[in-house]
Amino acid sequence: MTVDMELEAVLRAPELEMPPYPPKVITLANSKKMVVRPIKREDVPTLLKVVRPTLDIPRDYYDIVGARLYAELLGWYRYRVRNEYCLIGQVDGFVVGMVNGRMWDQNIGISLHTLAIDRGLHVGAHLFASKMEYHIEHLGQQEVWITAESPIGFRRWMIEYGLIKQEGVQHELGGATSYKLTRDLYFETKPRLVAGVRPVPQELLDQAMQSILIASEAEVTEKICGVKGR
Amino acid sequence: MRDVAVIGVGIIPFGRRDEDSLLDMLAYSSLKALDDAGLGEKGVDALYVANMGAGILQHQTAIASALADRLSLLPCSADTVENGPASGASAIKNGVLAIASGYYDTVLVAGGEKMREVVGWKATDFVATLTHPQVEYPYGITLPGMAGMLARLYMEKYGLTEEQLIAVSLKNQRMGSLNPYSHVEMMITKEGIHDHRDAIVNNPMAADPLHLYDMCPVSDGAAAVMLCALEKASQFTSNVPVVVAGFGQATDTHTLQERDDPTELKAVTLAAQQAFARAGLTPQDVDVAELHDAFTILEIVESERVGFFKTGEGGKAAERGETALGGKIPINMSGGLKARGHPVGATGVAQVVDIVFQLRHALPEGRQVKNAKVGFTLNFGGFGNNIVSFVLRRAE
Amino acid sequence: MNRMDQIVAYRCKKCGRIHYPCHDRCLDCKGRDFDRLVAEGDAKLLTYTQIFNLPWGFEVRFLIIGIVEFENKVKAMGQIHAASLEGIHAGMLLKPAWQPVRQVAGEAVYGLVLYP
């Protein structure tokens, strides 16, 4: 697609400086090593391939989360969403989950979505925690605004983190009730919710950085819905 | 009294089965049991259906009548049996009595539950309705919470360790990974759920001192068994009949607080003693057992109370591998509730199905206990206040 | 001395066994006559747990629940009011109170709350 750069210069929003998320490795319940790292804008088309199959999975609201995440990532790729980032979890090079968010301004972070492809291993919980870590510890923000589109998300985020309900404040994801994580709350919950070690052993990091491996559409559906199609 | 045999079994994969209704699951497992028994186009005299919560979870009652109709078993007698998480074994017990008495010759028993239709905390609330409605339920007590209190008492009294609980968890999850009907097929490691610093997130506290991986999952599923008078078994099938050599059932106080020593689990001991006495066998005769490990602590305490190990020795035995395949008494070679899953109404039936597979010597290497002749099941209702156990033996 | 008028136990007139909640026949001797016995005194903690993954109706991260024995031997379950399990141990004495323990349809349900 040809891009009119003169027009783009008008349409593209100016972006804030965002220091990159330093990769870390998390040991999962099955001892597999999950590398959590940021992707680059040019990685988005590859990542969209793993999001696409979720659009047809109503279970646990994967279709809603997937559709919105797809649009957010595409928007970032085409410079239509401001200050966005995406972190992925990789096991043996394969994407097992992802999270995204953005900076509203220097002080406030917006948590967008969390998508776990491999289920039953706390992949979503680990990645969500990594996202909070990024906003508070690396972007230096004061608070992160969060909402939930599924009961699992509500349970995991609002209850587990003891998030603060923001009466009368609308989250940009459609105006659902907004909750916030403050710096104090983050550091209070960090010991029990934020895992992983740095630096990532070079061999593991090289494997993760070499290429983003994507399971087939059928495999993604199977992973989300269960190995026996249930 | 006549001898009663299991001549057919059926089970469907447990897990989350969004596409199937409760009746679908009961029908699928029942048809498998009828076919396995070689019933062909014949009917049965009676149908017992084990189910705990369709009235609450599916807003549907009279499940047995509905299943009799769906399976074209009319005009058989049909009853739904509800005994909390021990509904399955209770339903089989009723079937056994009906045949042993000479009243019926053929009885189909199916057990099923559809629990994943509601979100997790509603399922937790549903199961908690078996606690005392005035002096327990209002406080938010859950079954995992009851198990947590039991585990704490047991730890203080007998020195149970976290490693011993983990040994049960790892064993059952490993066996579940080999069982095609299992809900949880994922292998876990001690490193991932305990030793590594990241385990604090992987395996969070669920009901102190019990962690997430000490708990069974919330499952959908169904299982069925076809019972028949032993003397008539050969009219239907060439399957090796498995004889219900004995059953036992006992109750205990509704509330945990009214038990002199909650770690005793008196009803477990009594139910097992009755079953062994009726069978004319002892715990030492058992080759393979399915115990009710809704929580890892239960497998350990039950293994002592039924007589496999001395009091206070169950945890150590599990850690030494004595309950694993090839050990002194292999327990939960199906993966148990911990991995096969725990659709409450189905569990007691599924336990018997798994023992029948063992006694027929029908399982692949890795799960089959060599030359198994006697099996034992224990289905734990309420929080230990209604227990049903069976001793089963291979008819030679 | 603390007196929990809301926790009424029943002592069998024949054998003395204390029941809470009430039973129509004594769990030991089958007797049918009981004296009312109000829970009194401090409550000794017998066992406890901290429960996460709560049932529908609780919007908190965890509950601490225990079984206690009052000085007059009445045993009951209650919620322990504490921020964590730190300092909680079997055998400790707790102060009982009758306070809201949950909400049902917007209405408070009262029960035994125990303070370290």
Side-chain angles (χ1 to χ4, degrees):
Chain A
M1 189 178 89
T2 310
V3 177
D4 181 336
M5 291 312 294
E6 280 183 338
L7 202 54
E8 283 296 302
V10 176
L11 293 174
R12 289 183 185 182
E15 303 225 33
L16 294 170
E17 277 289 313
M18 295 171 73
Y21 178 83
K24 67 178 178 181
V25 59
I26 296 172
T27 299
L28 300 174
N30 57 4
S31 280
K32 290 272 188 183
K33 306 293 179 192
M34 176 170 77
V35 175
V36 183
R37 68 167 181 97
I39 60 160
K40 295 190 181 112
R41 196 187 296 263
E42 54 266 34
D43 294 326
V44 166
T46 305
L47 206 60
L48 290 180
K49 289 180 195 159
V50 80
V51 181
R52 190 184 289 270
T54 66
L55 307 188
D56 295 322
I57 302 174
R59 172 180 287 202
D60 296 329
Y61 302 90
Y62 264 81
D63 50 359
I64 291 176
V65 170
R68 305 189 92 176
L69 177 60
Y70 194 98
E72 288 154 9
L73 290 174
L74 192 59
W76 178 41
Y77 181 61
R78 297 268 183 84
Y79 297 89
R80 291 299 180 271
V81 181
R82 186 180 180 182
N83 308 330
E84 190 178 342
Y85 67 89
C86 176
L87 309 179
I88 59 171
Q90 286 172 282
V91 172
D92 299 330
F94 281 89
V95 175
V96 295
M98 68 194 78
V99 282
N100 70 330
R102 69 184 204 89
M103 292 174 78
W104 176 267
D105 59 22
Q106 286 293 357
N107 291 324
I108 298 172
I110 301 290
S111 171
L112 291 171
H113 287 97
T114 301
L115 186 80
I117 304 296
D118 280 26
R119 305 187 72 183
L121 285 168
H122 277 61
V123 163
H126 281 306
L127 290 173
F128 181 83
S130 303
K131 173 158 67 170
M132 297 304 117
E133 179 191 34
Y134 185 39
H135 280 283
I136 301 293
E137 293 199 47
H138 302 288
L139 297 176
Q141 296 192 290
Q142 297 304 308
E143 54 191 57
V144 188
W145 291 11
I146 300 153
T147 192
E149 289 174 337
S150 76
I152 295 173
F154 182 81
R155 191 69 182 232
R156 281 271 161 80
W157 322 143
M158 296 6 175
I159 305 283
E160 274 299 303
Y161 284 76
L163 299 183
I164 299 159
K165 197 171 186 176
Q166 303 194 93
E167 296 290 356
V169 175
Q170 292 193 27
H171 192 281
E172 68 182 66
L173 285 176
T177 305
S178 182
Y179 293 76
K180 69 177 175 184
L181 177 81
T182 60
R183 287 184 76 80
D184 286 349
L185 204 47
Y186 169 78
F187 286 109
E188 195 182 302
T189 53
K190 183 182 173 181
R192 64 180 172 81
L193 293 171
V194 184
V197 291
R198 294 188 177 90
V200 180
Q202 198 57 46
E203 199 181 332
L204 262 181
L205 189 62
D206 288 347
Q207 183 190 37
M209 299 300 288
Q210 194 175 16
S211 58
I212 298 173
L213 300 176
I214 303 287
S216 71
E217 288 207 7
E219 284 169 333
V220 169
T221 303
E222 200 173 87
K223 281 168 186 283
I224 292 170
C225 295
V227 287
K228 293 169 198 156
R230 54 178 197 268
Chain B
M1 298 281 270
R2 295 188 295 178
D3 278 338
V4 179
V6 182
I7 60 166
V9 293
I11 186 166
I12 58 171
F14 287 9
R16 182 168 156 178
R17 301 181 62 105
D18 288 357
E19 66 278 19
D20 299 324
S21 70
L22 172 64
L23 259 292
D24 289 339
M25 295 191 298
L26 287 165
Y28 301 156
S29 58
S30 296
L31 289 172
K32 287 175 90 168
L34 293 175
D35 289 345
D36 185 45
L39 212 75
E41 291 173 3
K42 296 190 187 79
V44 299
D45 296 330
L47 167 69
Y48 291 95
V49 178
N51 175 260
M52 178 176 167
I56 296 174
L57 298 172
Q58 280 79 43
H59 203 60
Q60 183 178 3
T61 56
I63 302 297
S65 316
L67 186 63
D69 172 74
R70 177 141 173 189
L71 295 174
S72 185
L73 294 173
L74 310 176
C76 75
S77 88
D79 298 286
T80 305
V81 177
E82 193 275 301
N83 179 19
S87 298
S90 273
I92 295 178
K93 179 204 78 173
N94 280 287
V96 169
L97 286 174
I99 294 172
S101 69
Y103 212 96
Y104 296 132
D105 288 333
T106 54
V107 172
L108 174 68
V109 182
E113 207 74 55
K114 189 164 174 63
M115 304 174 76
R116 297 298 295 259
E117 196 156 357
V118 297
V119 294
W121 61 85
K122 287 201 168 179
T124 302
D125 181 59
F126 149 65
V127 179
T129 59
L130 61 76
T131 62
H132 195 286
Q134 280 83 43
V135 305
E136 290 181 333
Y137 177 83
Y139 296 105
I141 190 68
T142 60
L143 273 290
M146 293 277 199
M149 289 198 279
L150 170 70
R152 183 174 304 286
L153 284 170
Y154 190 88
M155 279 177 165
E156 285 163 3
K157 200 166 176 182
Y158 300 109
L160 176 84
T161 64
E162 218 168 61
E163 281 75 11
Q164 291 166 3
L165 294 170
I166 287 170
V168 174
S169 183
L170 294 177
K171 167 180 67 76
N172 292 356
Q173 212 138 333
R174 184 173 65 248
M175 298 314 295
S177 73
L178 302 172
N179 181 355
Y181 301 106
S182 176
H183 181 169
V184 178
E185 298 166 300
M186 185 184 71
M187 295 281 277
I188 52 173
T189 63
K190 185 162 178 283
E191 180 198 29
I193 66 167
H194 183 264
D195 297 346
H196 196 279
R197 55 186 280 193
D198 294 345
I200 195 168
V201 183
N202 296 334
N203 191 18
M205 195 62 83
D208 195 289
L210 302 176
H211 293 75
L212 174 70
Y213 284 104
D214 287 307
M215 311 281 154
C216 67
V218 174
S219 316
D220 300 334
V225 296
M226 182 68 208
L227 303 173
C228 173
L230 178 62
E231 66 206 22
K232 300 198 173 183
S234 60
Q235 292 176 18
F236 298 99
T237 175
S238 57
N239 286 339
V240 176
V242 170
V243 179
V244 182
F247 75 80
Q249 182 168 15
T251 47
D252 201 345
T253 64
H254 192 175
T255 66
L256 210 55
Q257 71 213 27
E258 287 204 290
R259 297 180 201 167
D260 295 333
D261 178 358
T263 67
E264 274 188 22
L265 297 180
K266 277 183 193 167
V268 171
T269 306
L270 291 171
Q273 283 173 350
Q274 282 176 28
F276 284 120
R278 174 67 70 175
L281 295 167
T282 71
Q284 285 66 47
D285 295 315
V286 175
D287 297 306
V288 59
E290 286 288 318
L291 300 184
H292 192 109
D293 60 327
F295 316 103
T296 50
I297 179 67
L298 285 186
E299 180 176 310
I300 288 172
V301 183
E302 289 164 3
S303 71
E304 299 170 4
R305 302 301 183 255
V306 305
F308 296 145
F309 302 106
K310 287 182 186 157
T311 300
E313 295 295 316
K316 294 171 203 157
E319 203 175 11
R320 286 194 296 261
E322 291 180 25
T323 56
L325 189 66
K328 179 185 164 195
I329 170 68
I331 294 174
N332 289 331
M333 295 297 96
S334 65
L337 284 63
K338 171 80 187 76
R340 182 186 55 224
H342 187 25
V344 282
T347 287
V349 182
Q351 289 177 316
V352 170
V353 169
D354 279 300
I355 291 295
V356 169
F357 287 149
Q358 287 283 357
L359 299 184
R360 284 181 182 175
H361 305 162
L363 293 170
E365 200 177 333
R367 280 221 296 140
Q368 177 67 50
V369 174
K370 274 186 191 160
N371 203 26
K373 289 183 178 140
V374 177
F376 178 84
T377 66
L378 188 113
N379 198 188
F380 189 91
F383 194 78
N385 66 343
N386 201 329
I387 311 293
V388 186
S389 71
F390 290 104
V391 175
L392 300 136
R393 68 174 166 79
R394 178 184 166 96
E396 298 293 355
Chain C
M1 177 172 290
N2 298 305
R3 189 181 149 87
M4 296 297 297
D5 288 322
Q6 301 86 349
I7 297 181
V8 179
Y10 296 83
R11 180 161 42 207
C12 175
K13 283 185 173 177
K14 205 162 136 192
C15 73
R17 174 165 176 151
I18 295 168
H19 301 74
Y20 179 71
C22 73
H23 297 258
D24 296 291
R25 298 203 302 166
C26 172
L27 287 172
D28 280 343
C29 73
K30 319 297 181 203
R32 298 188 186 193
D33 296 321
F34 300 89
D35 288 321
R36 286 163 62 91
L37 183 67
V38 170
E40 280 185 352
D42 283 340
K44 185 171 81 175
L45 186 59
L46 301 179
T47 188
Y48 59 95
T49 185
Q50 184 179 23
I51 308 174
F52 301 87
N53 307 318
L54 300 173
W56 181 255
F58 291 93
E59 284 200 13
V60 291
R61 197 168 74 80
F62 64 82
L63 289 171
I64 301 177
I65 294 178
I67 293 175
V68 294
E69 183 177 56
F70 287 87
E71 280 174 38
N72 62 353
K73 304 298 177 195
V74 174
K75 290 184 196 171
M77 181 178 282
Q79 285 178 1
I80 300 172
H81 189 88
S84 74
L85 287 187
E86 207 176 309
I88 304 290
H89 58 88
M92 74 189 296
L93 293 181
L94 301 164
K95 293 281 181 204
W98 194 255
Q99 293 176 345
V101 291
R102 75 188 298 168
Q103 297 269 325
V104 175
E107 296 288 323
V109 175
Y110 282 69
L112 177 62
V113 178
L114 301 147
Y115 287 83

